[in-house]
Amino acid sequence: MSGFILTLEEAFDRGTDIVGGKSWGLAKLDRYGFKIPKTLALTKALYQEVIEAALPEGLLKDLKSKPDDLILIETIHEIILKSELPKTFITELEASLSEYDLQDADLAVRSSAVGEDGAFASFAGQHQSVLSVTGTDALIFAIKQCFASLWTPAAVAYRLHMGFDILGVSMAITLCEMVGGNVATKSGVAFTIDPVSGRRDLMIVEAVTGLADELVNGQVQGCRYEISRDDLSTSVVDGGPLSALQLEILTEHLIRLHWTMGDGDIGYDTEWVFKGDELYFVQARPVTAVPHLTLPKLSTDPVIWSNANFKEVLAEIPCPMSWSFLETEIPKMLHMIPNYTGYKVPPGIHTIKRISGRCYANLSELQWLWYDGYGQSPDDSNRNLGGHQPSIALPDNEGLLVKINRIWRGIRVMLLLSGADKKLEESSAVIFERVRSFRGRDLREWSEKDLVEDLWCWVKDTQAFMPDFAKGANYCGFKLFLFEQQVNKLTSEKDRRLAHALLSGGGQMDSAEHAICLRSLAEIARNDPKAMDILQSNELPIEVGDGAFETALRDYLDLYGHRGVGELDMRYPRWSESPCFLFEQIQFLMAHEKEASGSSLLDDDLKRMLDSLSARGRKALIAAGEQARAGMALRERVKSAIVAFMEPVRRLVMEMGRRMVLEGRLQAADDLCWITFQELRALLEQTWDGRGLTELIEFRRNQHDSWAKETVADVYTEEPGQQPVQQIFEPLTGTELLGFGAFPGQYQGVARVLQSPEKGQAMRQGDIMVAPFTDPSWTPLFLRAGALVMEIGGTMSHGVIVARELGLPTVVNIPGALEWVEDGELLEVDGSLGRITKKAA
């Protein structure tokens, strides 16, 4: 088809600039398997040809100088209504109606202005739609009515208010077959977020019996249903127009639409119609104006979005399957302690979001939450999380009741965490044992029913464990707080920094132990001639024998096989699947003996400092250090348990993907990582027939590649209702920088600047590792490092915890360090003073 009229496939390819927002939205729905009525898209070329033929140049010139002249606007409106449409279009229209069996159909003629139904301007209610139109003559007049509706005082005023050029908006048209059309039809509007309150945890449905045009125009009030986006539970409405089955069908399609159309980031405004129990969507557009829902104190303040801490625990750009889990679970985890202790967080606030695919947290919210709820200063929150974000402003005066409530909530936190260490250790041990048992199962023998049931069981159990992860993190934070209280009693800054050496060593730190054990593997491999054959194969032995290295490797993978590079992202294999990275580290360690760390001098200084304290003070400081170290170990333990859950989930998803490849539905098994859990559920429950699956995966892959090429900031500031603005940091100069000294000690060596752990092959024994951040996939490289420098990091950061365990002088939280440090230059790291210095070669 060509000329003025396009099919939906053609409309999707041509885009909104040609067919307008409404037609393109329907084309996108159709492409990804949502049911829509028969639809044809009229391009903007028809409107442009009509305008050029009908409107005198003088009239257009007058309009440019007087865009708000009501007489001029009315004149253009009348001219368009009386204009003639091109004969070539009428011929094409009649042929198209006949080809698609629409010549006698009831049609809706809907405006689809270019720029309409976009992310920033909806034009809602500004332009005309004409329903129940039959026959060519009636269609022609309805099309002219839609064109003319671009020229009403309200429509022109809206364009000017939104910054559009007065003549810069063209009108395309959507021709859509009417669905139902009698009083038995159920129809309405639905929003995948609440457009009135701004709650992101609710989907809102308004339904009527009959067609929804009066509801859309505000002439009648629909029956309101609220749907939880978390568990898809719905509010009960006695006598509502939708049956239980219809509400269930609508809910299932809305949650997929939220993720397929809006990637979970953008709420969608839809219109829908039931024909019996068959659901059709007749419109879908982004919600353009969402109220700024936040904590009351922050309602008028800018939002600070930061990727601090996220960089360390998540892949830089999580795949859609991972993000669809994190987007709902992370806010619940962050709000678990406050809600438990009586500080009720408003449900549905915007706690995390993506910018160019990367995850960012609302640091304004978290800073205020922990200050107002528990008295932790914003500066201390930043220090714990790492990152370079500013701190929110605090009130000058506070009442006694506020302080009493903080004390009470603090007591409740202590009660919640009392005995948590033992319970979390036990529950983590159960998880590790379950995962080890599951690892030995051959999923190829499972029925599809068993695969599906087991997948949702593991996902549900992961969700149920997230509050325990929150407890572990808060237990660690509480023990570190008590340790800092003891440290602050020391009289000199040098002693206070030196005291952090008490947090080093002790073992049982999961994130460090899985690297330290590699050294033992390397030592065994040196003396086992069969080891090198295994290591150079880059694959696990098909038949595991009883040799020393094979036994040690089997034991290692039994403990740590659930870990891996990018381990919190579903698309990355675990070490139990692909041990290539591990084998590289073992071979390196085989060739390089561990050099003396130089920690004896630090140990001597620490001993002298401790000996200078009173017996009581020394005992209290050492005890606090031991408890803080145990708290960090527990935090890393429960984090490892979360990662362990992902191994069976990934294995089950990969087996489903393998079978879909055999059926010809996918190109590769890991293609499923590019759809969300909500979309996977729709596939498995057959509420989606898979139409558009390949196209969706291709789009998501291309989107990821595009995002990966973008340069993003670590911090963005967003005024309510505006787009985020990135915080720009001045380029670093000079030969010395100050950051946060995370572990004391001095070290001088060659700087090795690494953007990712995969680049670690260039790192030699004793080099200073300079990284943007680290997650557990970096940990084997710590064994090579003499010291650590990171752009991001706080007291509870992964890199800081592991560096402490290994006794590495560490300085973190220096924005721009990777550009300031040149790979291969001589650097001195002073973790006691939080300073790094360039040294002459």
Side-chain angles (χ1 to χ4, degrees), residues 721-762:
Q722 304 296 317
Q723 290 300 298
V725 177
Q726 61 180 311
Q727 299 285 308
I728 305 297
F729 294 95
E730 293 294 327
L732 300 174
T733 58
T735 60
E736 183 177 293
L737 294 179
L738 289 176
F740 170 58
F743 192 78
Q746 290 182 331
Y747 185 84
Q748 191 172 115
V750 173
R752 194 59 61 204
V753 179
L754 303 178
Q755 292 285 352
S756 68
E758 291 88 346
K759 306 295 184 182
Q761 298 92 331

Side-chain angles (χ1 to χ4, degrees), residues 680-697:
L680 178 61
R681 185 182 291 275
L683 274 179
L684 297 177
E685 295 181 355
Q686 299 182 354
T687 58
W688 176 26
D689 62 6
R691 186 163 57 91
L693 174 62
T694 301
E695 291 81 0
L696 181 61
I697 291 168

Side-chain angles (χ1 to χ4, degrees), residues 181-408:
N182 56 59
V183 293
T185 299
K186 311 293 177 61
S187 61
V189 297
F191 303 86
T192 64
I193 61 176
D194 189 339
V196 177
S197 70
R199 285 183 60 174
R200 302 185 64 84
D201 62 328
L202 289 182
M203 300 191 294
I204 305 300
V205 171
E206 293 189 3
V208 295
T209 298
L211 297 178
D213 51 318
E214 292 184 344
L215 171 65
V216 173
N217 294 329
Q219 296 171 296
V220 298
Q221 182 71 41
C223 179
R224 178 185 172 95
Y225 300 84
E226 293 184 355
I227 304 169
S228 167
R229 200 158 60 79
D230 179 22
D231 61 8
L232 302 188
S233 60
T234 59
S235 58
V236 177
V237 179
D238 293 331
L242 296 180
S243 68
L245 176 60
Q246 288 173 331
L247 185 56
E248 179 183 345
I249 292 170
L250 182 57
T251 297
E252 291 169 344
H253 284 79
L254 281 178
I255 191 63
R256 180 166 80 89
L257 186 149
H258 178 75
W259 285 96
T260 301
M261 299 289 283
D263 282 330
D265 297 317
I266 300 171
Y268 259 73
D269 166 3
T270 73
E271 294 181 30
W272 51 268
V273 181
F274 271 107
K275 183 178 181 181
D277 290 330
E278 198 171 19
L279 176 65
Y280 292 82
F281 285 98
V282 296
Q283 180 169 297
R285 61 188 178 196
V287 178
T288 55
V290 182
H292 178 49
L293 176 64
T294 186
L295 298 165
K297 163 64 177 64
L298 303 175
S299 59
T300 59
D301 294 350
V303 179
I304 302 166
W305 293 103
S306 172
N307 63 8
N309 201 246
F310 276 164
K311 269 191 170 184
E312 296 184 296
V313 296
L314 304 180
E316 185 178 15
I317 304 177
C319 70
M321 184 165 282
S322 297
W323 176 242
S324 67
F325 180 86
L326 298 168
E327 190 265 349
T328 54
E329 296 307 314
I330 287 180
K332 288 192 289 186
M333 183 190 73
L334 292 173
H335 299 153
M336 189 274 290
I337 294 290
N339 284 331
Y340 175 84
T341 57
Y343 193 103
K344 296 300 181 184
V345 181
I349 62 179
H350 207 180
T351 302
I352 65 171
K353 71 184 297 184
R354 287 193 301 179
I355 299 175
S356 296
R358 284 83 169 175
C359 301
Y360 289 76
N362 184 336
L363 261 292
S364 303
E365 172 200 313
L366 294 178
Q367 287 178 16
W368 177 255
L369 188 61
W370 291 104
Y371 169 75
D372 192 41
Y374 309 94
Q376 179 171 281
S377 73
D379 289 341
D380 285 342
S381 295
N382 286 343
R383 193 155 36 248
N384 288 337
L385 291 170
H388 324 297
Q389 56 276 347
S391 297
I392 60 172
L394 298 178
D396 295 329
N397 299 302
E398 293 179 329
L400 180 61
L401 183 59
V402 171
K403 297 177 181 178
I404 292 174
N405 284 335
R406 282 182 186 146
I407 294 172
W408 170 237

Side-chain angles (χ1 to χ4, degrees), residues 114-191:
V114 175
E116 185 174 0
D117 292 352
F120 307 110
S122 69
F123 288 84
Q126 300 300 324
H127 304 137
Q128 189 167 354
S129 291
V130 186
L131 305 182
S132 298
V133 181
T134 305
T136 303
D137 292 341
L139 278 175
I140 290 171
F141 184 68
I143 290 167
K144 291 192 291 184
Q145 286 179 287
C146 290
F147 286 168
S149 69
L150 198 61
W151 295 98
T152 65
V156 171
Y158 181 86
R159 292 206 294 282
L160 294 174
H161 176 72
M162 297 300 293
F164 289 92
D165 181 85
I166 186 68
L167 295 171
V169 176
S170 295
M171 178 69 76
I173 298 289
T174 303
L175 296 183
C176 186
E177 186 177 23
M178 298 284 291
V179 177
N182 56 59
V183 293
T185 299
K186 311 293 177 61
S187 61
V189 297
F191 303 86

Side-chain angles (χ1 to χ4, degrees), residues 311-312 388 714 750-760 763 767-775 777-779 781-782 785 787-793 797-800 810-823 827 829 836:
K311 269 191 170 184
E312 296 184 296
H388 324 297
D714 292 330
V750 173
R752 194 59 61 204
V753 179
L754 303 178
Q755 292 285 352
S756 68
E758 291 88 346
K759 306 295 184 182
M763 189 173 170
D767 284 351
I768 296 173
M769 186 162 68
V770 183
F773 58 91
T774 67
D775 61 29
S777 64
W778 292 73
T779 307
L781 297 175
F782 280 64
L788 174 66
V789 174
M790 293 196 302
E791 288 189 326
I792 284 179
S797 298
H798 164 268
V800 170
T810 300
V811 178
V812 300
N813 229 30
I814 303 180
L818 269 68
E819 294 182 5
W820 182 77
V821 178
E822 291 188 22
D823 188 68
L827 200 66
V829 176
I836 60 175

